[in-house]
């Protein structure tokens, strides 16, 4: 007789899908752990030893894919990479069937699809394994944790931090909203072109959480209405990975939101952040991106330690 066939049904979803679903103490803990691992990448006991981590990226990635691959190796695990043309999803196999197969062979899956977040939840349920959202259409939570860790590295205690985000209300902005909404006394203002703001339901969710910790999340559509005091000015590239804007003249709406030295000088003590890749001359000037107030390159390096913190948690009993 051969081995007994595997006949398991779907299980509960596990992993990191949205920062809105993580309690504030956990977000703060992952932020602190990211900073600790940034200072000492060996401050762990190889929690992924003998584990295999799938790294599925159907969209382009430099920082996130490299970070999660290297983080798996640093934590003692073995990564298996999948590119956009590698899986039978391209020939019509369902997400559920794919998840079931991957779950029978992998211990954990990191996935970037730029598609619906529900696809990642389905992979987790069908495969009965933890899944880390490395970017879906709705949210980029691992970037949000990286951003919080970069802020913590720079400013220490984040209580009362004031952030101005300039540009499209994309999946990075959604993660930043949910992350800072968990920080006591924080204020984040999203200055977005009209028609390109955060999704209303995400904004309302972040506002409700912010109210429980004395934080504030707000959205404006004119930079003239930006707060007088800001610790950080944050922008992202205008064209989000995996998306196309329906308005052919969309750049005209975005031009007033270009971050140059003149804009940054409205807040002489503010730092600058960018999740990269950057298009100098579009969302940011080269003088700002490469200038002395830019945290963008520290932010990029923080991707690795924040990925390590996420994988360590996701592989544990509560992931």
């Amino acid at each position: 007789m051969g081995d007994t066939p595997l006949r398991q049904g779907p299980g509960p979803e596990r992993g990191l899908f949205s920062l809105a679903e993580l309690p504030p103490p956990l977000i703060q803990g992952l932020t602190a752990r990211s900073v600790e691992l940034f200072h000492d990448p060996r401050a762990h006991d190889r929690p992924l030893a003998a584990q295999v981590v799938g790294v599925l990226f159907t969209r382009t990635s430099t920082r996130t894919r490299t970070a999660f691959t290297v983080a798996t190796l640093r934590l003692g695990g073995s990564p298996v990479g999948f590119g956009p043309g590698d899986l039978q999803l391209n020939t019509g196999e369902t997400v559920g069937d794919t998840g079931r197969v991957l779950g029978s062979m992998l211990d954990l899956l990191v996935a970037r699809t730029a598609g619906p977040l529900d696809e990642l939840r389905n992979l987790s349920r069908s495969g009965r394994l933890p899944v880390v959202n490395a970017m879906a259409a709705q949210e980029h939570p691992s970037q949000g944790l990286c951003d919080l860790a970069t802020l913590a590295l720079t400013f220490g205690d984040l209580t009362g931090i004031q952030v101005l985000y300039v540009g499209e209300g994309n999946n990075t902005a959604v993660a930043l909203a949910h992350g800072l909404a968990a920080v006591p006394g924080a204020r984040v203002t999203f200055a977005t072109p009209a028609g390109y703001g955060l999704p209303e339901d995400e904004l309302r969710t972040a506002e409700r959480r912010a109210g429980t910790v004395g934080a504030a999340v707000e959205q404006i559509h004119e930079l003239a209405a930006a707060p007088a005091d800001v610790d950080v000015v944050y922008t992202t590239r205008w064209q989000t990975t995996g998306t196309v804007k329906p308005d052919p003249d969309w750049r005209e709406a975005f031009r007033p939101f270009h971050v140059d030295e003149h804009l940054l000088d409205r807040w002489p003590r503010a730092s600058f952040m960018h999740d990269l890749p950057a298009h100098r001359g579009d969302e940011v000037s080269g003088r700002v991106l490469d200038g002395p107030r830019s945290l963008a390159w520290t932010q990029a390096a923080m991707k690795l330690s924040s990925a390590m913190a996420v994988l360590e948690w996701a592989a544990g009993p509560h992931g």
Side-chain angles (χ1 to χ4, degrees):
M1 297 291 289
D3 293 337
T4 302
L6 187 65
R7 297 187 184 279
Q8 62 182 19
E13 62 188 44
R14 295 183 290 143
L16 173 62
F17 301 99
S18 169
L19 294 186
E21 299 169 356
L22 303 187
L26 177 55
I27 292 177
Q28 293 157 14
L30 288 170
T31 298
R33 182 63 172 145
S34 299
V35 173
E36 181 180 6
L37 289 166
F38 183 84
H39 287 303
D40 184 2
R42 296 178 179 82
H44 57 82
D45 57 359
R46 294 173 60 85
L48 295 184
Q51 295 197 39
V52 181
V53 177
V55 183
L56 168 61
F57 277 68
T58 65
R59 297 290 181 176
T60 56
S61 175
T62 299
R63 282 148 291 276
T64 306
R65 183 171 185 172
T66 303
F68 276 105
T69 302
V70 175
T72 298
L73 293 167
R74 291 270 177 92
L75 296 174
S78 299
V80 177
F82 306 103
D86 290 343
L87 298 182
Q88 297 290 359
L89 284 166
N90 288 334
T91 65
E93 185 167 37
T94 67
V95 171
D97 288 352
T98 300
R100 185 170 181 177
V101 172
L102 292 179
S104 71
M105 302 179 191
L106 302 174
D107 298 293
L108 195 152
L109 177 66
V110 177
R112 165 177 290 190
T113 65
L117 184 54
D118 283 345
E119 288 184 349
L120 303 186
R121 298 185 191 278
N122 191 357
L123 285 169
S124 177
R125 292 191 301 267
S126 301
R128 302 174 70 92
L129 83 167
V131 171
V132 172
N133 174 10
M135 192 180 78
Q138 292 96 323
E139 187 177 343
H140 194 350
S142 66
Q143 181 66 54
L145 288 171
C146 170
D147 294 340
L148 290 178
T150 304
L151 290 170
L153 179 73
T154 305
F155 296 97
D157 183 8
L158 295 186
T159 300
I161 190 82
Q162 299 185 73
V163 176
L164 172 65
Y165 175 98
V166 180
E168 186 176 26
N170 57 17
N171 44 26
T172 290
V174 169
L176 191 67
H178 292 318
L180 285 172
V183 176
R187 183 184 70 195
V188 56
T189 302
F190 293 91
T192 64
Y196 295 97
L198 277 71
E200 199 67 23
D201 58 336
E202 302 286 5
L203 188 60
R204 298 287 89 81
T205 297
E207 287 174 343
R208 286 194 295 271
R209 167 179 268 180
T212 68
V213 297
V217 177
E218 60 184 4
Q219 183 166 252
I220 59 176
H221 299 301
E222 298 283 346
L223 277 169
D229 295 316
V230 167
D231 298 307
V232 174
V233 175
Y234 188 135
T235 195
T236 66
R237 66 175 176 172
W238 289 343
Q239 189 63 57
T240 304
T241 299
T243 65
V244 176
K245 293 179 175 60
D247 180 3
D249 298 321
W250 63 266
R251 284 185 177 275
E252 294 306 311
F254 277 76
R255 291 191 195 285
F257 296 86
H258 170 75
V259 180
D260 57 13
E261 289 177 297
H262 176 72
L263 177 65
L264 195 61
D265 282 347
R266 284 177 57 180
W267 304 280
R269 293 185 297 275
S271 298
F272 172 76
M273 290 177 66
H274 192 306
D275 61 346
L276 303 179
H279 289 183
R280 294 168 177 83
D282 278 355
E283 74 276 7
V284 63
S285 71
R287 288 182 178 274
V288 168
L289 181 66
D290 302 309
R293 296 160 68 184
S294 176
L295 302 176
W297 308 104
T298 299
Q299 191 179 354
M302 184 64 76
K303 295 283 283 190
L304 174 56
S305 57
S306 60
M308 291 174 69
V310 167
L311 289 176
E312 182 182 60
W313 168 76
H318 305 294

